[in-house]
Amino acid sequence: MIKMIETDILVIGAGPAGSTAAKHAAMAGSSVILMDKKSEIGSPKRCAEGVSKEGLKKLEIEPSERWVTKELSGVRMVSPNGTAVNLTEDKVKLPEAGYILERKVFDKYMAMDAGRAGAKIMIKTLATGMKREDDQMVVTAERMGEEFQIKAKIVIAADGPESRVGRWAGLRTSLKPKDMESCAQFEMAGVEMEEPDCIEFHFGSVSPGGYAWIFPKGDDIANVGLGVLTTMTDKSAYEHLLEFVENNPATKNAQAVELNIGGDPVGGLLKKKVTDNVLVTGDAASMVNPLTGGGIISGMLGGRIAGQVAAQAVMEGDYSEKGLGIYEELCERELGKSFEKYLKAKDYLLSLSDEELDQIAEVFKDSDFETINTAEMVRKLVKISPKALLKLGKLF
Amino acid sequence: MIVKEWCMYCGECAGVCPRNLIEVREISLNFNKEECKDCRICVKACPVQALEKGDD
Ligand SMILES: Cc1cc2nc3c(=O)[nH]c(=O)nc-3n(C[C@H](O)[C@H](O)[C@H](O)COP(=O)(O)OP(=O)(O)OC[C@H]3O[C@@H](n4cnc5c(N)ncnc54)[C@H](O)[C@@H]3O)c2cc1C
Ligand code: SF4
Ligand code: SF4
């Protein structure tokens, strides 16, 4: 007979979204299992590791020197011909300044917090299937050669861009290629950045459908990567990365010590994230800023809502789609509205040729910015580019 | 589907497979061959070209 474990809430995936969901569900008094197929939570990383200070504050997470590698003081944006727009703290107010994390450590710490709140953590445990039985979900799982089942009142699918769990429950979490950035990144040493305290973005044909980045991690170390839409190029993300590294003055003498790859779901918030007994959160629900590709903070915000809604439903004994429906509303309020705007902004950005990007950089490079948030950027763009007005209107 | 030795089990292929046929384990990939419609979306999505359609 296959072993069966019972719990109120099962969270599948211990990335930032899943660990946050598990922590908040456990804090609210539910019995919680948090499982991940990895033998080491957080590793290998699939991330450039940038987060905003504002975001951590919102999540009430104190930055720790154990997982912050670098405090940032600005942003550098580079157009295809090398024209740079530097937005540094000495020139502008930086409400969205942030940190570069060590994700391998950060993710583990977030899982530890969930454990401290009362969640039971199961590592090296793969969910292999799921079915509904007597008003509950039964998940089959495998750990070190042992197969067993977990019966849960509610399953929170936080399984990242693979997003298979939601589909087992009939939700449409799979992504079209146009909505998934294909990413490749090196962590490198010997990087010679112009502005070593700034995150750097490179736009245009260097990375079709996305952008390239250099995110400093202190000293001469940086994450150097890019994301492409496979609908817009015949080369792989890795091939584009090799070209970028070879041609960029900051990286041409640098050496890679790590290769990271992965998908980043940038199509905007998944419409239907709830069904009977199941909530989808984080990357699995495309809780990623469609313009920047950043999904750590937004996934954790979504995860917090998922954990709280699930725990409340357990208390009330209603795990139906209707009972969990408030999740959609809260996610829409927290993330959905801003994502709509960022989607439009992305659409505009992707419509620009290398020449147009160069022209815009030329104008921006001498501009005065009072703030550096994305909305302010777009407002400025609209002023100088008629196409921006057409594509973005008065959104921002 | 032939999975090359340099696959890094990132799971991007699984996320775009419209039929949910790819199981990504920590260090192996399983395909449900019977259901595969040979659309090759997974092949194109891979950031390191680690998938190749075999003759099966
Ligand atoms: C190259 C790259 C760079 C990025 N850079 C940034 C950045 O700088 N800043 C930012 O904010 N965001 C960035 N992102 C996005 C960010 O990494 C994700 O949004 C974030 O990790 C999402 O968290 P998550 O918890 O939803 O999913 P994940 O972190 O992907 O976690 C999902 C977990 O589920 C587990 N899992 C999956 N299936 C199963 C299963 N069947 N059984 C058990 N466990 C399972 C996986 O092992 C994994 O640990 C980047 C993404 C990429 C690809
Ligand atoms: S996308 Fe490529 S590297 Fe990633 S799991 Fe699939 S085959 Fe492997
Ligand atoms: S070829 Fe298409 S159907 Fe077959 S595994 Fe790949 S994405 Fe799925």
Side-chain angles (χ1 to χ4, degrees), chain A residues 151-340:
Chain A
K151 192 173 198 180
K153 291 170 183 145
I154 295 170
V155 169
I156 298 179
D159 55 333
E162 285 160 55
S163 65
R164 303 192 74 216
V165 178
R167 286 186 267 176
W168 293 336
L171 293 166
R172 292 183 170 199
T173 59
S174 81
L175 286 169
K176 296 204 167 71
K178 72 170 179 51
D179 293 329
M180 180 85 102
E181 289 283 337
S182 186
C183 304
Q185 169 182 276
F186 289 130
E187 184 167 330
M188 305 188 94
V191 181
E192 295 159 333
M193 294 181 75
E194 287 273 337
E195 298 280 349
D197 297 328
C198 293
I199 46 172
E200 197 168 302
F201 298 98
H202 294 251
F203 299 100
S205 52
V206 66
S207 197
Y211 60 83
W213 62 82
I214 306 180
F215 282 12
K217 291 188 78 173
D219 301 325
D220 61 347
I221 305 166
N223 287 325
V224 181
L226 48 75
V228 299
L229 287 180
T230 54
T231 48
M232 293 179 74
T233 175
D234 288 329
K235 287 190 228 162
S236 69
Y238 181 68
E239 287 172 303
H240 280 285
L241 177 63
L242 290 180
E243 278 174 22
F244 176 70
V245 164
E246 197 178 305
N247 297 327
N248 193 284
T251 52
K252 65 174 194 281
N253 297 318
Q255 306 216 53
V257 292
E258 189 173 315
L259 170 63
N260 315 118
I261 59 166
D264 200 3
V266 290
L269 197 59
L270 178 72
K271 285 223 160 54
K272 188 163 167 17
K273 298 170 280 304
V274 176
T275 184
D276 292 341
N277 310 84
V278 177
L279 300 170
V280 187
T281 200
D283 270 23
S286 289
M287 290 180 174
V288 171
N289 180 321
L291 179 62
T292 65
I296 303 171
I297 296 294
S298 40
M300 292 173 81
L301 290 168
R304 178 164 73 181
I305 301 171
Q308 290 169 342
V309 167
Q312 184 67 31
V314 168
M315 274 190 275
E316 287 166 9
D318 180 0
Y319 333 117
S320 66
E321 182 174 329
K322 196 157 169 260
L324 298 168
I326 182 80
Y327 178 61
E328 301 280 17
E329 222 177 291
L330 295 173
C331 289
E332 191 54 38
R333 216 179 294 161
E334 184 72 68
L335 306 167
K337 290 224 163 64
S338 61
F339 281 12
E340 299 264 308

Side-chain angles (χ1 to χ4, degrees), chain B residues 1 17-19 21-22 31 36-42:
Chain B
M1 201 66 74
C17 172
R19 303 173 68 81
L21 304 181
I22 310 176
F31 285 81
C36 175
K37 288 282 180 255
D38 198 15
C39 68
R40 295 178 200 228
I41 289 174
C42 56

Side-chain angles (χ1 to χ4, degrees), chain A residues 7 9-23 26 31-38 41 107-116 118-125 143 150 156 158-159:
Chain A
T7 186
I9 297 168
L10 169 64
V11 183
I12 302 176
S19 289
T20 308
K23 177 172 100 176
S31 68
V32 179
I33 293 176
L34 170 65
M35 69 151 72
D36 202 292
K37 65 183 173 182
K38 290 180 176 173
I41 288 171
D107 283 24
K108 245 184 276 183
Y109 269 71
M110 295 305 112
M112 287 174 190
D113 275 352
R116 290 185 190 108
K120 181 176 164 49
I121 302 169
M122 292 178 137
I123 56 166
K124 197 72 182 152
T125 306
R143 180 168 57 176
I150 301 177
I156 298 179
D159 55 333

